[in-house]
Short mmCIF file of all heavy atoms in Angstrom, two decimals:
data_model
loop_
_atom_site.label_atom_id
_atom_site.label_comp_id
_atom_site.label_asym_id
_atom_site.label_seq_id
_atom_site.Cartn_x
_atom_site.Cartn_y
_atom_site.Cartn_z
N ILE A 211 -22.11 -10.55 1.13
CA ILE A 211 -23.06 -9.51 0.76
C ILE A 211 -24.40 -10.17 0.45
O ILE A 211 -24.45 -11.16 -0.30
CB ILE A 211 -22.56 -8.73 -0.47
CG1 ILE A 211 -21.17 -8.14 -0.21
CG2 ILE A 211 -23.54 -7.63 -0.84
CD1 ILE A 211 -20.52 -7.56 -1.44
N PHE A 240 -28.81 0.01 -2.09
CA PHE A 240 -27.87 -1.06 -2.40
C PHE A 240 -27.03 -0.72 -3.63
O PHE A 240 -25.80 -0.89 -3.62
CB PHE A 240 -28.63 -2.38 -2.63
CG PHE A 240 -27.75 -3.60 -2.65
CD1 PHE A 240 -27.52 -4.32 -1.50
CD2 PHE A 240 -27.15 -4.01 -3.83
CE1 PHE A 240 -26.70 -5.44 -1.52
CE2 PHE A 240 -26.34 -5.13 -3.87
CZ PHE A 240 -26.12 -5.85 -2.70
N TYR A 244 -22.87 -0.34 -3.44
CA TYR A 244 -22.05 -1.39 -4.05
C TYR A 244 -21.70 -1.10 -5.51
O TYR A 244 -21.14 -1.97 -6.19
CB TYR A 244 -22.75 -2.74 -3.93
CG TYR A 244 -22.84 -3.24 -2.51
CD1 TYR A 244 -24.00 -3.09 -1.77
CD2 TYR A 244 -21.74 -3.84 -1.88
CE1 TYR A 244 -24.09 -3.52 -0.45
CE2 TYR A 244 -21.82 -4.29 -0.58
CZ TYR A 244 -22.99 -4.12 0.13
OH TYR A 244 -23.07 -4.56 1.44
N PHE A 247 -18.26 -1.98 -7.23
CA PHE A 247 -17.68 -3.10 -6.46
C PHE A 247 -18.30 -4.41 -6.94
O PHE A 247 -17.59 -5.40 -7.14
CB PHE A 247 -17.92 -2.90 -4.97
CG PHE A 247 -17.24 -3.92 -4.10
CD1 PHE A 247 -15.92 -3.74 -3.69
CD2 PHE A 247 -17.91 -5.07 -3.69
CE1 PHE A 247 -15.29 -4.69 -2.89
CE2 PHE A 247 -17.30 -6.02 -2.88
CZ PHE A 247 -15.98 -5.83 -2.49
N CYS A 248 -19.61 -4.41 -7.08
CA CYS A 248 -20.32 -5.55 -7.65
C CYS A 248 -20.75 -5.21 -9.08
O CYS A 248 -21.02 -4.05 -9.39
CB CYS A 248 -21.57 -5.89 -6.83
SG CYS A 248 -21.24 -6.45 -5.15
N THR A 249 -20.83 -6.21 -9.92
CA THR A 249 -21.31 -6.00 -11.27
C THR A 249 -22.83 -5.84 -11.23
O THR A 249 -23.49 -6.26 -10.27
CB THR A 249 -20.97 -7.19 -12.18
OG1 THR A 249 -21.70 -8.35 -11.72
CG2 THR A 249 -19.47 -7.48 -12.15
N PRO A 250 -23.43 -5.24 -12.27
CA PRO A 250 -24.90 -5.14 -12.32
C PRO A 250 -25.58 -6.49 -12.20
O PRO A 250 -26.64 -6.60 -11.56
CB PRO A 250 -25.15 -4.49 -13.69
CG PRO A 250 -23.91 -3.71 -13.97
CD PRO A 250 -22.79 -4.52 -13.39
N GLU A 251 -24.98 -7.52 -12.80
CA GLU A 251 -25.56 -8.86 -12.72
C GLU A 251 -25.51 -9.39 -11.29
O GLU A 251 -26.49 -10.01 -10.82
CB GLU A 251 -24.82 -9.82 -13.66
CG GLU A 251 -24.98 -9.54 -15.14
CD GLU A 251 -24.14 -8.36 -15.62
OE1 GLU A 251 -23.19 -7.96 -14.89
OE2 GLU A 251 -24.45 -7.82 -16.70
N GLU A 252 -24.41 -9.14 -10.61
CA GLU A 252 -24.30 -9.57 -9.21
C GLU A 252 -25.30 -8.85 -8.32
O GLU A 252 -25.93 -9.45 -7.45
CB GLU A 252 -22.87 -9.33 -8.70
CG GLU A 252 -21.85 -10.29 -9.27
CD GLU A 252 -20.42 -9.91 -8.91
OE1 GLU A 252 -20.17 -8.72 -8.62
OE2 GLU A 252 -19.55 -10.80 -8.95
N ILE A 253 -25.45 -7.55 -8.55
CA ILE A 253 -26.42 -6.77 -7.77
C ILE A 253 -27.83 -7.32 -7.98
O ILE A 253 -28.60 -7.48 -7.02
CB ILE A 253 -26.34 -5.28 -8.16
CG1 ILE A 253 -25.03 -4.68 -7.64
CG2 ILE A 253 -27.54 -4.51 -7.61
CD1 ILE A 253 -24.79 -3.25 -8.06
N GLU A 254 -28.16 -7.63 -9.21
CA GLU A 254 -29.49 -8.18 -9.50
C GLU A 254 -29.70 -9.51 -8.78
O GLU A 254 -30.76 -9.76 -8.20
CB GLU A 254 -29.64 -8.36 -11.01
CG GLU A 254 -31.01 -8.85 -11.44
CD GLU A 254 -31.14 -8.96 -12.95
OE1 GLU A 254 -30.26 -8.46 -13.67
OE2 GLU A 254 -32.14 -9.56 -13.42
N ASN A 255 -28.68 -10.38 -8.80
CA ASN A 255 -28.78 -11.69 -8.15
C ASN A 255 -28.90 -11.55 -6.63
O ASN A 255 -29.68 -12.27 -6.00
CB ASN A 255 -27.57 -12.55 -8.49
CG ASN A 255 -27.60 -13.06 -9.92
OD1 ASN A 255 -28.67 -13.18 -10.52
ND2 ASN A 255 -26.43 -13.34 -10.48
N ILE A 256 -28.13 -10.62 -6.07
CA ILE A 256 -28.16 -10.42 -4.61
C ILE A 256 -29.53 -9.91 -4.19
O ILE A 256 -30.12 -10.38 -3.21
CB ILE A 256 -27.04 -9.47 -4.16
CG1 ILE A 256 -25.67 -10.11 -4.40
CG2 ILE A 256 -27.20 -9.11 -2.68
CD1 ILE A 256 -24.51 -9.14 -4.30
N LEU A 257 -30.06 -8.94 -4.92
CA LEU A 257 -31.38 -8.40 -4.60
C LEU A 257 -32.47 -9.45 -4.75
O LEU A 257 -33.53 -9.37 -4.12
CB LEU A 257 -31.68 -7.18 -5.47
CG LEU A 257 -30.85 -5.93 -5.19
CD1 LEU A 257 -31.13 -4.85 -6.23
CD2 LEU A 257 -31.10 -5.41 -3.79
N ALA A 258 -32.19 -10.46 -5.58
CA ALA A 258 -33.15 -11.55 -5.77
C ALA A 258 -33.06 -12.60 -4.66
O ALA A 258 -33.87 -13.53 -4.62
CB ALA A 258 -32.93 -12.22 -7.13
N HIS A 260 -29.78 -14.04 -3.46
CA HIS A 260 -28.55 -14.83 -3.43
C HIS A 260 -27.47 -14.12 -2.60
O HIS A 260 -27.47 -12.90 -2.49
CB HIS A 260 -28.03 -15.07 -4.84
CG HIS A 260 -28.98 -15.82 -5.72
ND1 HIS A 260 -29.16 -17.17 -5.65
CD2 HIS A 260 -29.83 -15.37 -6.68
CE1 HIS A 260 -30.06 -17.56 -6.53
NE2 HIS A 260 -30.50 -16.48 -7.16
N GLU A 261 -26.56 -14.90 -2.04
CA GLU A 261 -25.44 -14.35 -1.28
C GLU A 261 -24.18 -14.34 -2.14
O GLU A 261 -23.99 -15.21 -2.99
CB GLU A 261 -25.18 -15.18 -0.01
CG GLU A 261 -26.31 -15.10 1.00
CD GLU A 261 -26.03 -15.97 2.23
OE1 GLU A 261 -25.12 -16.83 2.15
OE2 GLU A 261 -26.72 -15.79 3.24
N LEU A 262 -23.33 -13.35 -1.89
CA LEU A 262 -22.02 -13.28 -2.56
C LEU A 262 -20.94 -13.36 -1.49
O LEU A 262 -20.90 -12.52 -0.59
CB LEU A 262 -21.90 -11.98 -3.35
CG LEU A 262 -20.55 -11.73 -4.05
CD1 LEU A 262 -20.30 -12.78 -5.12
CD2 LEU A 262 -20.50 -10.33 -4.66
N LEU A 264 -16.80 -13.53 -0.63
CA LEU A 264 -15.51 -13.14 -1.20
C LEU A 264 -14.40 -13.37 -0.20
O LEU A 264 -14.56 -13.07 1.00
CB LEU A 264 -15.55 -11.65 -1.59
CG LEU A 264 -16.64 -11.20 -2.56
CD1 LEU A 264 -16.69 -9.68 -2.61
CD2 LEU A 264 -16.44 -11.79 -3.94
N ARG A 272 -11.41 -6.16 -5.94
CA ARG A 272 -12.60 -5.37 -6.27
C ARG A 272 -12.46 -3.93 -5.79
O ARG A 272 -12.88 -2.99 -6.49
CB ARG A 272 -13.85 -6.03 -5.66
CG ARG A 272 -14.29 -7.29 -6.41
CD ARG A 272 -15.36 -8.03 -5.65
NE ARG A 272 -15.77 -9.23 -6.35
CZ ARG A 272 -16.91 -9.37 -7.03
NH1 ARG A 272 -17.76 -8.35 -7.11
NH2 ARG A 272 -17.21 -10.51 -7.62
#
Side-chain angles (χ1 to χ4, degrees):
I211 304 170
F240 193 93
Y244 292 100
F247 186 86
C248 295
T249 66
E251 293 76 17
E252 287 172 337
I253 290 175
E254 184 178 348
N255 287 335
I256 294 166
L257 291 174
H260 300 282
E261 294 178 345
L262 177 64
L264 304 169
R272 285 171 181 256

